Amino acid sequence: MDEQDLVDIEVTHDNAEDIVDSYSSGVSDFSFHRQTVVANRLLVGQPDTELRSLSHVDEEQVKLLEHQVDAAYRALFEMDGKALLADEVGLGKTIEVGMILKEMHYRETNDSVLILTPAQLAKQWQAEMREKFGLEFVCNYDSEFGGFDAHDYIIASIDTAKSDRFRHTVLAREWDVLVLDEAHYVKNEETDRYDLIDKLTYDYAFFLTATPIQNELTDLYNIVSLLRPGLFGSRDTFHHYFVNRNQKTLVNRDELQNRLGQVMIRNRREDADIDFTDRIIDTRTFEPSAAEMDLYNSVSDYVREAYSQDQGQKLVLMLLQKEVVSSPAALEQTIRMQLEERNELTHRDELRTILEKIEAIDTVTKQERLFDIVEEARVHVDMGRVIVFTQFRPTQREVIKALDKQGYTTHAFHGGHSSQEKEDIVERFEEKGGVLVSTDAMSEGRNLQFCNIMVNYDLPWNPMRVEQRIGRIHRIGQKREVYIFNMGLKNTIEEYVLDRLYHKIDLFQQTVGELSTILSRLEDSGRSFEDEIFERLVNAGSEVDLENDFDAMAVDLEEQKELAQKVQNFNSGVFEGFDLGPDDD
């Protein structure tokens, strides 16, 4: 092996000793010198019989689970410090990274660390690294943050890092360790996020995602190629060699599993040795008032008529159908916007009629019934903590206002808050209790195990979004039974979705992996779960037809579940221990 050969190879544990020996024999190229430094550091980090730093982790702060210890060990010592941690939601990928960084710190192999996360999770990462592992990071939202060249341990929003202001300094530095949370956000090679990660310089890297495949195998190819360039060859080679023409089954499974096994670790809830607490589902449907039912029927009639005339309005019409069962306030905002935007006479009279019917509602049934749930919590639960989820900001404001009038302690959480404000809101909720009313800005990444009661005030039509909400409280560290209350109005779309779809095939009790598999099979035709619901709603000729249509959809889902299981069994040779379902976003 000559000098140039040595410079061109990748440093691994297997070849580290050879590289060090060669350098000692007189090879002097500067690039090779850098590889020698990396090799020496890997040798310093060679495993003894266990992770040496574990004895220094405070057991009162974090309980290390077997699958987490195994993942950290494999990522460091079997994957040479470059791994895709792809555990299902709630299994503790952040803890695995904390263990990895703690061990590297103990062995003095991580002088500079950059952790990139979605903006809303940066402060949570900072707190977890400090409290559970004694690792101090500066966050880009801290007042003392002086830039990416001013600190050695940094946690930052990936969008901050790629911004024009900071991109140059981020890329100019050679990082020891890169951690990328929610790695599925860089699946598209045409984005600035992908380009940033592709151009970063680092020795070790750990990517985290519960959903390494969102739409197709190309997602997995792009993420893995950032982490281990060349592992799958070119994109065309990858598809030709591993995917059949219909892209519904895999070929050359043994080889694909072998390559994935070099870079990806995937633990599933059903396989992890964890006793999750029970999940208790309580669905409550209520008779709407006459005024509410009149409003619902008017909106539904309008949606059907408008859609039959202009299918290009689909997203707006779908929004109206969701808002009418959420709150009059949410519906009113969209109706007024529609009236302001429509200069032509089409449908203006119908929209004004809907607005009049909104104004005629003086009591909101869901608000009244929500009081029953939060009062039960105030009496029976420590500090009366309840999380209420809604999809709409106007609904959130009205619910907060109603609860305030009843004397409850309330907290609002939505995407308009800064990262620091979000941290403060969660901290106040934990300290003071009461009711946290949140939009779906809360539904990803947050750890809220100190609460065990959740209310779906309105219901997303995609069950993966519901599962993400539930995952905020039903996760590792939850010591109590979890209560999920679903609220719905009778004789509306909510009742059909709840009773005829979600409950008929027990979607509330499916694992994340099972849900993603069912939905991915359903959506192979290019139609989403929400599209299916909307199409059946607007095309039904009568209530009886609508009931039959939703019964048929439930049968379709059962068939998709069975078909998905057959495909999963077929591909089990490749994905044993791996479940690569789509994300819900």
Side-chain angles (χ1 to χ4, degrees), residues 50-105:
E50 60 184 10
L51 295 168
R52 283 191 265 163
S53 65
L54 293 189
S55 60
H56 298 273
V57 175
D58 187 347
E59 294 183 2
E60 293 186 2
Q61 291 296 327
V62 57
K63 178 183 178 182
L64 302 180
L65 302 175
E66 182 178 352
H67 77 273
Q68 296 170 336
V69 175
D70 178 69
Y73 185 94
R74 290 173 61 196
L76 275 173
F77 304 129
E78 295 179 10
M79 296 180 176
D80 299 311
K82 288 186 178 180
L84 176 61
L85 303 174
D87 292 356
E88 280 189 348
V89 173
L91 291 184
K93 294 184 289 297
T94 308
I95 299 300
E96 293 167 2
V97 169
M99 294 169 60
I100 290 168
L101 296 180
K102 183 77 171 180
E103 186 71 15
M104 296 184 79
H105 185 72

Side-chain angles (χ1 to χ4, degrees), residues 122-325:
K123 296 295 289 185
Q124 179 173 290
W125 266 89
Q126 183 185 39
E128 289 207 30
M129 292 301 101
R130 176 191 302 120
E131 295 166 5
K132 295 180 178 178
F133 298 99
L135 299 174
E136 291 291 339
F137 284 81
V138 66
C139 176
N140 69 282
Y141 298 109
D142 293 340
S143 58
E144 63 268 29
F145 179 69
F148 288 88
D149 53 356
H151 314 276
D152 289 329
Y153 276 34
I154 298 175
I155 297 174
S157 154
I158 187 171
D159 290 330
T160 297
K162 74 175 179 60
S163 67
D164 292 339
R165 179 182 177 186
F166 292 112
R167 178 184 174 85
H168 175 73
T169 51
V170 173
L171 294 179
R173 187 168 186 178
E174 296 180 350
W175 301 92
D176 288 324
V177 184
L178 169 67
V179 176
L180 177 63
D181 192 19
E182 307 294 351
H184 50 271
Y185 286 167
V186 300
K187 70 182 187 300
N188 185 347
E189 71 273 18
E190 302 297 326
T191 64
D192 290 341
R193 290 173 177 172
Y194 183 98
D195 186 65
L196 176 77
I197 304 302
D198 189 35
K199 292 179 178 176
L200 272 168
T201 302
Y202 50 84
D203 294 331
Y204 311 111
F206 307 96
F207 289 7
L208 291 75
T209 177
T211 54
I213 291 180
Q214 294 182 288
N215 299 306
E216 56 180 45
L217 280 174
T218 301
D219 298 340
L220 179 64
Y221 174 87
N222 288 342
I223 294 171
V224 170
S225 293
L226 282 173
L227 194 58
R228 290 282 186 91
L231 183 65
F232 287 142
S234 69
R235 185 175 286 101
D236 289 341
T237 300
F238 174 77
H239 279 92
H240 176 76
Y241 193 68
F242 292 120
V243 186
N244 75 352
R245 291 182 179 179
N246 294 324
Q247 295 193 13
K248 291 184 178 179
T249 56
L250 300 166
V251 292
N252 297 315
R253 292 173 295 153
D254 291 343
E255 178 62 20
L256 181 56
Q257 181 180 30
N258 178 60
R259 296 195 196 186
L260 278 174
Q262 297 176 43
V263 69
M264 187 169 80
I265 300 169
R266 173 77 165 177
N267 291 302
R268 302 176 62 189
R269 279 194 175 213
E270 60 189 54
D271 300 324
D273 186 22
I274 304 171
D275 291 327
F276 284 98
T277 58
D278 290 337
R279 178 186 297 189
I280 300 169
I281 307 297
D282 186 342
T283 294
R284 302 185 178 186
T285 55
F286 316 106
E287 290 285 353
S289 67
E292 287 174 322
M293 199 68 225
D294 186 33
L295 174 63
Y296 176 82
N297 289 333
S298 293
V299 170
S300 298
D301 290 343
Y302 166 71
V303 167
R304 290 190 186 96
E305 180 184 354
Y307 186 63
S308 67
Q309 297 174 9
D310 181 4
Q311 297 189 4
Q313 297 186 68
K314 183 175 183 176
L315 293 179
V316 172
L317 297 175
M318 190 184 294
L319 179 64
L320 293 175
Q321 197 71 57
K322 293 176 180 179
E323 288 175 334
V324 70
V325 290

Side-chain angles (χ1 to χ4, degrees), residues 375-558:
E375 185 58 29
E376 290 175 36
R378 183 155 66 176
V379 173
H380 296 104
V381 178
D382 180 38
M383 302 183 76
R385 292 195 192 93
V386 178
I387 300 174
V388 178
F389 270 108
T390 175
Q391 299 170 83
F392 306 108
R393 289 277 295 275
T395 301
Q396 180 190 46
R397 288 192 290 267
E398 291 301 307
V399 169
I400 289 283
K401 186 187 302 183
L403 290 169
D404 286 342
K405 287 183 179 178
Q406 296 293 319
Y408 292 99
T409 300
T410 59
H411 318 267
F413 188 107
H414 55 72
H417 292 122
S418 69
S419 294
Q420 185 58 56
E421 287 172 335
K422 290 175 181 176
E423 293 299 317
D424 294 342
I425 291 165
V426 171
E427 184 176 336
R428 286 196 297 271
F429 178 48
E430 182 173 10
E431 291 177 354
K432 298 182 179 181
V435 185
L436 173 68
V437 185
S438 177
T439 65
D440 284 317
M442 171 73 79
S443 67
E444 187 175 58
R446 292 280 168 179
N447 300 324
L448 301 170
Q449 298 96 320
F450 57 84
C451 179
N452 70 320
I453 298 178
M454 177 178 294
V455 178
N456 289 309
Y457 189 84
D458 47 48
L459 203 69
W461 292 357
N462 186 326
M464 281 293 287
R465 295 185 69 84
V466 181
E467 181 58 33
Q468 276 209 326
R469 290 177 174 183
I470 296 172
R472 299 311 98 224
I473 64 174
H474 197 216
R475 57 197 297 118
I476 292 174
Q478 180 57 262
K479 298 179 174 59
R480 297 167 292 177
E481 293 178 327
V482 168
Y483 291 86
I484 309 299
F485 292 90
N486 300 310
M487 303 183 70
L489 294 176
K490 290 183 178 180
N491 301 313
T492 70
I493 187 64
E494 282 187 316
E495 186 174 33
Y496 289 118
V497 172
L498 278 166
D499 290 343
R500 298 188 178 275
L501 291 183
Y502 287 7
H503 283 298
K504 270 201 171 183
I505 63 171
D506 202 18
L507 284 177
F508 287 111
Q509 298 296 345
Q510 305 292 332
T511 67
V512 172
E514 288 169 335
L515 277 179
S516 62
T517 304
I518 293 169
L519 295 180
S520 65
R521 297 297 302 177
L522 179 70
E523 295 178 2
D524 276 344
S525 63
R527 294 165 66 87
S528 72
F529 196 87
E530 294 192 352
D531 288 337
E532 287 285 337
I533 291 174
F534 183 73
E535 295 287 349
R536 292 173 190 272
L537 176 68
V538 296
N539 292 324
S542 66
E543 186 173 339
V544 172
D545 289 343
L546 189 59
E547 291 179 1
N548 291 336
D549 285 345
F550 273 87
D551 284 338
M553 189 173 177
V555 172
D556 288 343
L557 286 173
E558 286 284 11

